[in-house]
Amino acid sequence: MTVQPAPSLKKRLILMGALMTLLVGGLVGFNLFKRAMMQKYLTGGAAHPPQVVTTQIIQRTNWQPSFDTIGSLRAARGVQISVEVPGLVRQVAFKAGDEVQAGQTLVEMVDDAERAALQTQAAGLELARLTLKRDEAQYAVHAISQAQLEVDRADVDSRTAQRDQALALLAKKKVTAPFAGQMGITMVNPGQYLNPGDKIATLQTVHQLLVDFNLPQQFLGRINVGQSVHLSFEAWPGKTFAARVVARNPEVDAATRNVQVEARLEPVAVSLLPGAFAHVTWDYGQAEPHLTLPQSAIAFNPYGATVFVVRHETGRTPPKAQQVFITTGATRGDQIAVLSGLEAGDEVVTSGQLKLKSGIPVAISTTAAPPFAAAPTPQEQ
């Protein structure tokens, strides 16, 4: 007996195929609708709410070309005082921080043996001179030969040199200041044995200071003796010190391609010490008018630098942002020079530009404007 398939199964298959067709059609239709609405939104069919931004009217300001670098203070004269000969210290004739004069005694060493040697050499020289004087009288009456007289003169010269050598050795037992200046801290004490080259203390002319700094080789044609530079120090915030260029190295460092420059500080009332770290600002050239913007207003991309300019339309419609390409120049603190792409009077977005694109309406705020200082001084909050 043959079993026929139930009619209800065939109907179920047909119904399932119809439902699948409707489901696929619905998904395709929904995707097409979503794409159409997205395209409408991107082409401006949907209104954008105004984006809050800060702006600035770009103007021309006098721009003084300058170069900032770091430098180090150095005394016009500075040396580590040391000893030339070994010996025991008899007296330390200065205190740390003393102002000393050139030739002033700093350290006296035990010199008894050297003084005795000097007396021996002086006695021998005196005897040689008496012998020479007596032989000169005898030579005048032909009692001795000329050769004997020459031997006597050579003996006098030799003993004179030995006496001078003893004097020089005795002088080395007394260490004196080679120039006027301020003495540093010493660890030398009376009774201490010193070897040749042992350091006693530093001597610095703290009232005559120089600053050494480096400039890139492209500034060789601009730096000249007599130009002024300005210094600032972390120990003296808010103060600026003047210096004048006195020399530059006659060669460029082959490793860094920089040239070393030396400037002399003007007399100051505050205490500056050799070795201090200095911020050096060198103004060069003539001041020129430039359009300037805060650096935060500019987006730097591989394809160029851009800013958003606010365009005010007629009527009651809100202003809109327009992206433009610009060419930038030198920087100075928070400021950057704009060479092309903008005109004086343009209103430029200075913050909030990350949420903008061309054509989006903007609402201008006057709060939270970015910094715009030529010489900023960061503050910890």
Side-chain angles (χ1 to χ4, degrees), residues 220-240:
L220 284 176
R222 297 179 179 271
I223 187 68
N224 295 303
V225 173
Q227 290 181 335
S228 61
V229 297
H230 305 286
L231 311 179
S232 60
F233 301 89
E234 294 179 353
W236 303 97
K239 289 183 177 292
T240 301

Side-chain angles (χ1 to χ4, degrees), residues 24-25 33 51 54 93 112 124 131 151 177 181 217-218 253 258 270 289 317 319 327 347 360 365:
V24 172
F33 175 77
Q51 301 295 323
T54 61
D112 298 339
T131 301
V151 169
Q217 62 179 5
Q218 59 262 33
D253 189 331
N258 291 337
V270 300
T317 59
T327 303
E347 187 174 5
I360 287 184
S365 172

Side-chain angles (χ1 to χ4, degrees), residues 222-363:
R222 297 179 179 271
I223 187 68
N224 295 303
V225 173
Q227 290 181 335
S228 61
V229 297
H230 305 286
L231 311 179
S232 60
F233 301 89
E234 294 179 353
W236 303 97
K239 289 183 177 292
T240 301
F241 303 87
R244 193 166 298 277
V245 176
V246 294
R248 70 175 184 184
N249 265 353
E251 64 175 353
V252 175
D253 189 331
T256 62
R257 305 302 176 188
N258 291 337
V259 61
Q260 184 177 354
V261 181
E262 179 185 270
R264 185 183 300 274
L265 268 72
E266 304 292 341
V268 294
V270 300
S271 177
L272 297 175
L273 298 178
F277 172 85
H279 297 272
V280 182
T281 301
W282 169 52
D283 297 332
Y284 61 90
Q286 297 295 327
E288 299 178 354
H290 277 295
L291 298 174
T292 57
L293 278 176
Q295 295 192 48
S296 60
I298 304 172
F300 295 95
N301 303 290
Y303 51 83
T306 61
V307 297
F308 281 95
V309 179
V310 176
R311 304 297 187 191
H312 293 270
E313 300 179 355
T314 58
R316 300 178 62 86
T317 59
K320 295 182 179 181
Q322 180 66 42
Q323 190 176 34
V324 299
F325 285 91
I326 63 171
T327 303
T328 59
T331 60
R332 182 180 61 180
D334 299 321
Q335 302 175 348
I336 186 168
V338 179
L339 304 181
S340 64
L342 295 174
E343 298 292 338
D346 286 345
E347 187 174 5
V348 181
V349 176
T350 56
S351 66
Q353 63 270 44
L354 294 179
K355 53 190 175 183
L356 299 181
K357 65 178 182 178
S358 292
I360 287 184
V362 295

Side-chain angles (χ1 to χ4, degrees), residues 41-54:
Y41 179 84
L42 294 176
T43 55
H48 289 278
Q51 301 295 323
V52 179
V53 297
T54 61

Side-chain angles (χ1 to χ4, degrees), residues 165-189:
Q165 183 180 18
L167 279 172
L169 184 59
L170 180 62
K172 292 177 189 278
K173 290 292 183 173
K174 182 182 293 185
V175 181
T176 59
F179 50 82
Q182 187 178 44
M183 294 300 302
I185 298 174
T186 181
M187 302 299 292
V188 174
N189 296 296

Side-chain angles (χ1 to χ4, degrees), residues 28-53:
V28 172
F30 176 75
N31 287 331
L32 292 176
F33 175 77
K34 184 174 68 172
R35 184 180 299 176
M37 294 304 294
M38 184 66 70
Q39 184 68 25
K40 182 179 179 181
Y41 179 84
L42 294 176
T43 55
H48 289 278
Q51 301 295 323
V52 179
V53 297

